[in-house]
Amino acid sequence: MRYSINVPNFGDFADARALASLAATAEQAGWDALFVWDHVVHVKSRRQTFADPWLLLTAAALATSRIRLGTLVTPVGRRRPHQLARQVSTLDQISAGRTIFGAGLGAPVEDEYGSFGEPTDPVVIAELLDEGLELLDRYWAGEVVTHQGRHHQVHEVSLLPTPVQRPRVPVWIAGYWPNRRPMRRAARWDGVVPLFTSARHGWTPPAEEVRELVGYVREHRAERADRPFDVVVGGISPTDPAQARDLIGPLAEAGATWWDERRPIDEHIGALAPVLRRVEQGPPRL
């Protein structure tokens, strides 16, 4: 089991210096990764202060040398794949191969998409996600890309340099369980970051549901069974080792490979102080 910290890209965490300091503290305390959200406005009526996640992660990369860094998650459907490919490749170069790319549909759709005149139909957003992921994979391979798709056209373009990691930066796919379609999508890539209808962000899912999800994904990875695949679940962990074992142990037995320390989404989600206190205490001890 590996251990990560999950924070939004707004509120206190929109300060790149604060985010870089948090990353350095997490590395020193023994955490394995730091992930940030990728929102433009989130819930726009709250009028929060945001920062670009890739600039935040660049600051974190320059302040650290070991921990993995990435987004959980980037809504590929509202980004241009060639620009996104360049951003991820640049971060992987700066961090010497420490980037993980989390991708999904994104939410809330009306605020994050509709506010800017972008599609809000979930079917179209899913098409944009799948087509965008295909293009990212080809760009990161370093090939000359020509593509005539439903939503994107590319004419004989290669984007160099490629990421340090080969064959590509690990791609983790988000989605809600028990919805099957995002889990089948995740099975084609390198990991899954599920939320659960029974346990939203910041709440720990039941181990039995994690076991069912892992079994379903494995069924759809029969041709890729020899390749590494991560299952990322999370919540708020206790610092007491016995309590941590009781909480996280069954999840690991069910097939989870990462514990993602994350707080429930409430009015305090953008506050640095409680996250920093938990980071300084170090990851759960099993």
Side-chain angles (χ1 to χ4, degrees), residues 64-233:
T64 58
S65 61
R66 179 187 59 80
I67 61 171
R68 307 299 296 269
L69 302 163
T71 53
L72 289 184
V73 295
T74 290
V76 174
R78 63 167 172 75
R79 289 184 173 271
R80 295 186 176 185
H82 52 283
Q83 293 176 325
L84 184 56
R86 178 73 76 203
Q87 289 169 312
V88 176
S89 293
T90 300
L91 180 63
D92 205 51
Q93 289 284 335
I94 291 171
S95 67
R98 293 186 281 133
T99 303
I100 294 172
F101 181 66
L105 299 180
V109 171
E110 288 298 332
D111 286 7
E112 290 273 303
Y113 285 84
S115 295
F116 304 98
E118 297 182 11
T120 57
D121 183 341
V123 173
V124 175
I125 295 174
E127 290 174 351
L128 286 162
L129 171 58
D130 287 327
E131 191 173 341
L133 286 170
E134 176 191 344
L135 282 170
L136 290 172
D137 192 33
R138 295 176 65 187
Y139 286 137
W140 290 336
E143 66 177 86
V144 177
V145 176
T146 293
H147 174 84
Q148 296 291 333
R150 181 182 294 271
H151 301 286
H152 301 291
Q153 292 79 45
V154 185
H155 306 285
E156 297 183 355
V157 176
S158 60
L159 297 181
L160 301 174
T162 62
V164 172
Q165 298 177 86
R166 310 309 296 159
R168 62 167 176 260
V169 169
V171 175
W172 293 352
I173 302 298
Y176 273 97
W177 179 261
N179 295 342
R180 265 46 177 180
R181 182 171 295 178
M183 303 307 138
R184 293 195 297 271
R185 176 181 293 118
R188 300 195 296 268
W189 297 95
D190 309 303
V192 62
V193 189
L195 291 177
F196 295 77
T197 55
S198 62
R200 298 301 177 107
H201 191 282
W203 298 93
T204 305
E208 183 54 38
E209 290 192 37
V210 174
R211 184 174 292 106
E212 292 173 359
L213 180 154
V214 170
Y216 183 82
V217 172
R218 285 176 177 168
E219 288 177 9
H220 290 82
R221 283 186 61 81
E223 297 179 358
R224 303 176 178 86
D226 59 333
R227 302 179 188 177
F229 189 84
D230 283 302
V231 178
V232 187
V233 298

